[in-house]
Structures are given as structure tokens and as C-alpha cells.
Amino acid sequence: MLRCVAIDDKPIALDIVSRYCERRGDVTLETFSSPRLGMQRIREWKPDIVLLDIELNGMSGIELARQLPQPCCLIFGCTTCSMSRNRSRARLC
């Protein structure tokens, strides 16, 4: 089983990820709308995959990714906002 943490402040996004992982059947998923709580769980649980919203309230997903212990896991940055500044900021991680 793959262990995955998803952090997004939009409930619909977390619902979509949850339903996808449930259909796969080989992913244990924990979801968080709070960057702080999600970061705490990542440090405790050490998941295989982290899905981060780039535009989180209170902390960007890019900032959160930079604070993860190294080496970490596979990190995917997701956003519904396709601004070019997000792409260039993500490349710096």
C-alpha cells in the first residue's frame, strides 16, 4: 500500500483525491485542509507521496515543500490557478 498525504484548502479537491484513491484500492490517504496539521502528519507518518495545493491559505504549498525533512518523498504540487509565477516558484524546490 502506498501512503499518501493530501493538503488542500478546498474540500472539493480533497474529495476528488479521496475518491480516486479509494477506487485504486492500493493507497492509504490522509487529507488535511490545514498546512500546519498536514506538515505535522508528514513528519510523523513519512508518506510515500505528498499532494500539495500550491495556493494554500496561510502558507503556500511551495513553502511547505521546502520545510519537509530531506530526503522526503515524491511531492506533487497542484493548483487550479495556472499562473506562470507558480510554475517558476515550483521549479526552485
Side-chain angles (χ1 to χ4, degrees):
M1 290 289 271
L2 287 173
R3 295 181 303 171
C4 180
V5 168
I7 305 171
D8 200 308
D9 53 3
K10 294 173 190 67
I12 188 79
L14 293 175
D15 184 54
I16 290 167
V17 171
S18 294
R19 285 190 278 146
Y20 174 77
C21 291
E22 187 176 307
R23 276 197 313 258
R24 280 187 54 104
D26 63 347
V27 178
T28 301
L29 174 69
E30 294 195 17
T31 62
F32 298 88
S33 57
S34 162
R36 184 181 55 78
L37 294 176
M39 172 70 84
Q40 181 180 345
R41 186 60 177 146
I42 291 167
R43 287 186 171 136
E44 294 168 354
W45 195 40
K46 298 179 180 35
D48 302 301
I49 300 169
V50 173
L51 304 173
L52 294 174
D53 180 8
I54 299 295
E55 296 290 332
L56 290 164
N57 286 328
M59 173 189 287
S60 80
I62 294 168
E63 290 174 47
L64 194 148
R66 288 183 178 141
Q67 293 179 24
L68 292 175
Q70 299 297 322
C72 183
C73 54
L74 188 57
I75 302 170
F76 291 94
C78 310
T79 186
T80 57
C81 180
S82 63
M83 299 176 77
S84 61
R85 70 180 172 89
N86 288 333
R87 287 190 296 273
S88 61
R89 286 173 47 210
R91 286 187 195 113
L92 297 175
C93 290

